[in-house]
Amino acid sequence: MLKDVEISRVIVENYMKGLLDSLTVDVAIVGAGPSGMVAGYYLAKEGVKVAIFEKKLSIGGGIWGGGMGFNKIVVQEDAKEILNEFGIDYKPFRKGLYVADAVEVAATIASRTVKAGVKIFNMVEVEDLVIKDGRVCGVVINWTSVKMAGLHVDPLTIEAQYVIDSTGHEAQITQHLLKRGMIEKIPGEGAMWAEMGERLTVENTKEIYPGLYVTGMAANAVSGAPRMGPIFGGMFMSGRKAAKEILEKLKK
Amino acid sequence: MLKDVEISRVIVENYMKGLLDSLTVDVAIVGAGPSGMVAGYYLAKEGVKVAIFEKKLSIGGGIWGGGMGFNKIVVQEDAKEILNEFGIDYKPFRKGLYVADAVEVAATIASRTVKAGVKIFNMVEVEDLVIKDGRVCGVVINWTSVKMAGLHVDPLTIEAQYVIDSTGHEAQITQHLLKRGMIEKIPGEGAMWAEMGERLTVENTKEIYPGLYVTGMAANAVSGAPRMGPIFGGMFMSGRKAAKEILEKLKK
Amino acid sequence: MLKDVEISRVIVENYMKGLLDSLTVDVAIVGAGPSGMVAGYYLAKEGVKVAIFEKKLSIGGGIWGGGMGFNKIVVQEDAKEILNEFGIDYKPFRKGLYVADAVEVAATIASRTVKAGVKIFNMVEVEDLVIKDGRVCGVVINWTSVKMAGLHVDPLTIEAQYVIDSTGHEAQITQHLLKRGMIEKIPGEGAMWAEMGERLTVENTKEIYPGLYVTGMAANAVSGAPRMGPIFGGMFMSGRKAAKEILEKLKK
Amino acid sequence: MLKDVEISRVIVENYMKGLLDSLTVDVAIVGAGPSGMVAGYYLAKEGVKVAIFEKKLSIGGGIWGGGMGFNKIVVQEDAKEILNEFGIDYKPFRKGLYVADAVEVAATIASRTVKAGVKIFNMVEVEDLVIKDGRVCGVVINWTSVKMAGLHVDPLTIEAQYVIDSTGHEAQITQHLLKRGMIEKIPGEGAMWAEMGERLTVENTKEIYPGLYVTGMAANAVSGAPRMGPIFGGMFMSGRKAAKEILEKLKK
Amino acid sequence: MLKDVEISRVIVENYMKGLLDSLTVDVAIVGAGPSGMVAGYYLAKEGVKVAIFEKKLSIGGGIWGGGMGFNKIVVQEDAKEILNEFGIDYKPFRKGLYVADAVEVAATIASRTVKAGVKIFNMVEVEDLVIKDGRVCGVVINWTSVKMAGLHVDPLTIEAQYVIDSTGHEAQITQHLLKRGMIEKIPGEGAMWAEMGERLTVENTKEIYPGLYVTGMAANAVSGAPRMGPIFGGMFMSGRKAAKEILEKLKK
Amino acid sequence: MLKDVEISRVIVENYMKGLLDSLTVDVAIVGAGPSGMVAGYYLAKEGVKVAIFEKKLSIGGGIWGGGMGFNKIVVQEDAKEILNEFGIDYKPFRKGLYVADAVEVAATIASRTVKAGVKIFNMVEVEDLVIKDGRVCGVVINWTSVKMAGLHVDPLTIEAQYVIDSTGHEAQITQHLLKRGMIEKIPGEGAMWAEMGERLTVENTKEIYPGLYVTGMAANAVSGAPRMGPIFGGMFMSGRKAAKEILEKLKK
Amino acid sequence: MLKDVEISRVIVENYMKGLLDSLTVDVAIVGAGPSGMVAGYYLAKEGVKVAIFEKKLSIGGGIWGGGMGFNKIVVQEDAKEILNEFGIDYKPFRKGLYVADAVEVAATIASRTVKAGVKIFNMVEVEDLVIKDGRVCGVVINWTSVKMAGLHVDPLTIEAQYVIDSTGHEAQITQHLLKRGMIEKIPGEGAMWAEMGERLTVENTKEIYPGLYVTGMAANAVSGAPRMGPIFGGMFMSGRKAAKEILEKLKK
Amino acid sequence: MLKDVEISRVIVENYMKGLLDSLTVDVAIVGAGPSGMVAGYYLAKEGVKVAIFEKKLSIGGGIWGGGMGFNKIVVQEDAKEILNEFGIDYKPFRKGLYVADAVEVAATIASRTVKAGVKIFNMVEVEDLVIKDGRVCGVVINWTSVKMAGLHVDPLTIEAQYVIDSTGHEAQITQHLLKRGMIEKIPGEGAMWAEMGERLTVENTKEIYPGLYVTGMAANAVSGAPRMGPIFGGMFMSGRKAAKEILEKLKK
């Protein structure tokens, strides 16, 4: 016989065990968009302990809507191998340019990222950073719903060796540094120029403050590089690059 | 060289080709929640032409939040084989009761459903039915954003042999029949009783009006059967049952 | 040395332990207003396991504002001993009528209720009942913030032998019975008539459906008895009466 | 026999053909107000390929309401020939000053502008510019409804040799340059002074950045020139002037 | 020299002269959508004194957005001559089915309707009817902005021999009769069925109460006939039919 | 017999006659609060042509609510004669301090101001100034409701020799000068200090820009002088002072 | 010297003295619109103790805006003497029809009503009635701001021999009787018909339940009589009639 | 017999007596959060006349929600004696770290603070300071509901020798100094670092301007010190420190 309260028990116990286990992680990623999930995937694959905090109920960030809600996205040659790695279908459009289904991309990346061992905490907002002696060493979390409801409720903290700001063009996490004068400015994303933007996204992926990486559009926003619309190769490669760099540092 | 306008072109062309191709389908499913996606998966697997219309930007319905935002869900013995079919991981809690990660469940079902050939049109709301001579033969669609923005814009129509109302406990599609006196009442979901609710969800999955099936919580709402919280076996089996029945009818 | 993450750990562990422990209680009380807290106090004092679910962030219901925000409240002779029981100060106004400070009343009752052993879960909304075979046997809970934010997230359930609807004049819990045709009507509170209302509040405190008690203004709303404004003796006595009746039944 | 799905097909096919055809245009005009439509008319009349993007569902901008909703507008002698060109009725008020019906003006200009070959995309918002190597070479578009609904959806881009900012006193397109430090400031429209404002509107109509023209009130806002209320001669002449200058450049 | 205050004077004087002149009209039409404007056009062409009251700032109703914002509309063979009458361009899609540009249709009808002599009062809401001795003999008007702003301001009245409810599927004017028990029910538009809806729109165009005509979707809503999406032939023919019937009655 | 349309006619004609007559006035006062109405009263009494524009539906500004909604106000000795001039009752509190009924004060001042010949245009917002060659020479008006409704509608203008900013502590009219760099700063009202504030209100009443006076709290806001709460003597005296100074200038 | 706290003291003391004095009145009037204030005036003139409770910050109800914001109102012959009684100016329009300034009418009636001895409590909402043994014997009041802010705060009560519902066409006070089945229905105001409405307003002014009178549009709403727009003679006469009838009863 | 109006009388009289008595206090505390209430408690215990103004309906500030709504809070060794002083239960977590129930903490502190003689005025917002000759000497109060409702109503003032800003991280009272250039900047709370934040909270508790103290998170915000989450020892000690310092100054 199935008792209603058993369902409550198993859910509360499992979530809490997961949450307690994730209070201290190697890498805390903020934002389950394309660059954040890809970074998480490549880290977890190597055995790194990763938690992603996503403020929305669902993951995927800006992938779902494709361009103007026409739910297709574009990926260029350089990033094709990442689509292959995740097992996502695509169709060539012209030499070096591929089109994929936005729903498949978002769902498949998320599915594979979780299977790789990443813990995703959705509906959880990162409202601040933990910073000690000039180094980011964790994030401050709260329920998104509590924020949306305008309730005055204290947050909790997560301890991490590295934090990744994958929050897109608002660079919400890096804003906390700016607000406190720890960095000088966040110029914001530049005007549209897909080719340039794609290239710079990867270049701009870096540790902008001890312990804090930026990826994807957050990387471009922090550097004032161009935006690029519904093309995602740069996003994927940015995530992979951040993963690679952090892996090396963690090994030391 | 990558031209910005190429990205626009490939996206518009591919979406439109997909939309034009889906103007006439075998089965139109409303709601990309658990029962709707599972139904779509089993239908598409058999070569049926299926489109799912989901009003949100992302898919998954009520799965993501688990119970109270503790993102785990429960599945019972009967539905374990469906988890296996989709390749979703789970952990036994006690005999016959399993717990799975909500994010993995939502993402993996969506990923597999698209790969099986289902076209998912997210951000698209079904605002009415096409009914001719006493038979549902299509749905009336519009952008969700147009509805949210309160703009007065006419919809388009999709032609389908069968429509599935997988919109959850509001049974939004079936409401259109009620509003016009074509069915007598929609009692709404009953009080919580997980065991009874799980069983009845499957029983209540049926063609409630020529051409219109109800699945999942919509099935229970239409029949006044109990609600059951974050346990999803019944949802999955309801989707599979609807697929099976429609498959048989389509073969005739 | 104090580690940030320790604070998170101790809070999560203690809350979760409390929540898991409260998944099955003797009495679940909905609403931490005057009648609900008084009922909880008298039950817990006798060793009954009680949880109160309060949708607001703070407790106290309609006490804080006194009348029109003039934060004083009135209590009549009959209820004076309950003020004494809680150690609340009061001042005679005329024979048989006392005035007390609204903030002191709300805070002191809450303080003493928790000390008596009642677990109060604030910011938690009861969105439905668990009903099996014609008996209320639990409540369905969710975060208030999730409701306020309009997110679609499944609830959890609490198992209880008795549920008390102390939600005030809206009788929110009893409404679930009405919505499903399990009771015939909820006439709502009558026009203002303090003397009559005070008397009837206590009379109307009863088990209106197997397993479900109503207290305070919910009792009057369910019976169509008059409202009475910022006089609270009836509220206190209603809570005490419900406690007494349930205690007797639990002993059997 | 008329099939519902045929209506969908013809609409989708024709819109998409039009949209694909307009992905690359000679001139992209932002805002279907008086100066934008007049500019489009004079350009299209000479065979230039023009698309107007209007964020509202309807066109006409600030014309419809006349002054304070009293739906009449004023035009002075200099612009009379443009009214004649469009076939709009007017009545002399005193020497050199004419009054016309606001609804007729808005509707007739739009009607004639479309007939002249301009493609108007209404309900489409220009959210940014495409800028490469110091030259504006396109606009970034999205559905207005998506913006109004607050959804996070990527835009598409339009390629153009010239872009005209006809967005009125907010100069919304030119703001993107300011935000990125590409121009120094946008002083905003000056206090009311109709005579001066009318004259300066035409003077201020110019290419303020390689590839970007400003017309109408956007021209005055960018130059800090006075506002002028419900008199529209300057608007019309500004649109015509921009068309003339761009025509000459395109011929080279 | 141009004085600012002259602009105010000419606008106020001309609007007021127009408004005072329209306080008593032959026909008051509510809603400047397709059927209302076409009705007004055919009436004014025959010298009938007509005022249209439109609650929005712009006219055109549901035409602008085409289907789902794809701004094209469909017209069938029967209504082609009305497109010709207005001078609207169209393209054949298949035998008997034509596609036209939504912006051109809306703007051109409005332009021609005003030129035919109809006074259009936009931003003016009809909030009630004048009814005396069982006959509708006028409308009650107010600024839409006053309603939107929630201000409590009395309306004014317009005297008319006939009133036409062209308010679309809400049949807002006819609702005033229902609310007062003067008609029995308004079933609302039926499910989508374009062919049937188009035919019935014209059939349902009639005087439903002495002095009150319904046209377009209001006619179908009042009769429970099907809706039909972005096909407008029925709308146009409904407006023309109402004009014809009223013309005959006015001649008597 | 009373015809409905006669009511419309008499109202439209009389309002319009009044509005046309007020398009050119000697003094335009913005805000029908205490200082604005008192200024208008003393000006009109001397035969000056005055119009007051008030954005709310009702007049009186901050008088109605007294202090915290306790609807009494205080006036000191110096301003007693103004209460006498208006025929307002008051009661001494202690030497030199009087208390009056807020409703009586607001209503009586308005009643007497209109009787003195001032035209009050309520529900009309001043959205800008007319400025020519360095002198304020009018105001730009619109319906408040149009602003509240967020509609994009052009304003009209009023010509005046002097404009008075009586808009209270926001100094809304003077803000237009600041925005355009015509004055250097508006420090805003200082912290509460009733005695000092009362005195400075009168001192700060002056022509701050050619053609523009400030009175009441606007005068203090512009000068950074203290606020003073529900004491109104300074307001009254400020209005009277502005009237006196303008009268002298107009005589020249 | 003027101390800030003295201002607080005099205001609190005077308001509270007034409020305590008005806890028991002869007549409580709800709504400071035209009929309510006129009723209060004629009652107070005869020495009756009257309090008016007005939910808005200012008084005057629907008078201020005239018709469509054109701030003039109409009064017919029968009510001219009431204008004279209050000392309001008016201008003849045609035989038996007069036009007056809306601001003057609202302000002057309020000014005179307070001077006649009526206490007006603005910003105070009547949220219910006190009813004992089948007779209305008071009203239940709260701050409007508390209601607007959605705070859960208990009300206070006022004791009265008679209550007048002058709340306009919503008949808000009489609705409390309907809600509790004490009267059968409130048909609401009929369609516009000024002449009939004016006559019936006076006829319908009556004691509709022991202790409760209705006046003005509330009287018509309760009887289903026509509405009449910005003509106020019936309103004034209704107020006077209610005053006369209550005076007679109070004398007994 | 109990008369309804007696309840009104006793409440109004007692509140007003309390308010009049509190118009002049020794210490006015803004914000009934942990540091404000603790400060009030220690002051009142020594016979100081204290009023706390709290803008919410209930007291407790950020205590109720614990961390993320998990309603437990943490207190460290140093502050244990304050828990003991208030009689609050706690449980050791590890050496020097205790966990307590958030509801009990909030309610018990409030209960004891009122009993110690502090007057708490809830639902009352401090909207400004009284400042004379360079010293804070009072606060400016209004109903929170009036602010929430957006009504334009003047405030009242409270006279105090010392004011404490206990408004949390927004330091709302100190902001009034910043706005007027009386202090140079408010850096805002720093990033999370519990240990450092706890220590600095006490250090930063001081008189930042003659007559104005800051406590709790307001103290850290004013000094740019770190935030610390749901640990409250620093809050308690900050309140006690402020009390101690003010006591000494008052004795002089």
Side-chain angles (χ1 to χ4, degrees), chain A residues 168-200:
Chain A
H169 70 92
E170 296 177 20
Q172 288 162 3
I173 300 312
T174 312
Q175 297 288 356
H176 295 295
L177 297 179
L178 180 66
K179 195 176 66 187
R180 296 188 176 106
M182 289 161 160
I183 59 172
E184 259 176 53
K185 71 176 249 177
I186 296 179
E189 58 180 13
M192 179 77 79
W193 186 353
E195 190 174 39
M196 185 67 82
E198 282 291 294
R199 185 158 53 74
L200 291 179

Side-chain angles (χ1 to χ4, degrees), chain A residues 6 58 71 87 94 104 115, chain B residues 6 58 87 94 104 115 122:
Chain A
E6 274 184 318
S58 59
N71 61 4
R94 62 113 166 117
E104 184 184 345
K115 277 186 198 305
Chain B
E6 275 185 317
S58 60
R94 63 112 165 116
E104 183 183 345
K115 278 187 197 304
N122 50 335

Side-chain angles (χ1 to χ4, degrees), chain D residues 25-59:
Chain D
V25 292
D26 295 325
V27 183
I29 299 175
V30 190
S35 73
M37 289 198 294
V38 167
Y41 171 85
Y42 282 106
L43 286 163
K45 226 178 121 182
E46 301 299 317
V48 173
K49 190 175 174 188
V50 182
I52 299 183
F53 300 95
E54 166 56 48
K55 70 177 177 181
K56 295 223 173 120
L57 186 50
S58 59
I59 51 68

Side-chain angles (χ1 to χ4, degrees), chain D residues 191-234:
Chain D
M192 180 77 81
W193 185 353
E195 189 173 40
M196 185 67 83
E198 282 291 295
R199 184 158 53 73
L200 292 179
T201 288
V202 184
E203 281 183 27
N204 292 328
T205 298
K206 62 183 172 215
E207 190 176 16
I208 46 148
Y209 189 87
L212 180 65
Y213 269 78
V214 281
T215 65
M217 276 317 295
N220 275 9
V222 163
S223 310
R227 56 192 298 194
M228 56 275 207
I231 179 165
F232 283 84

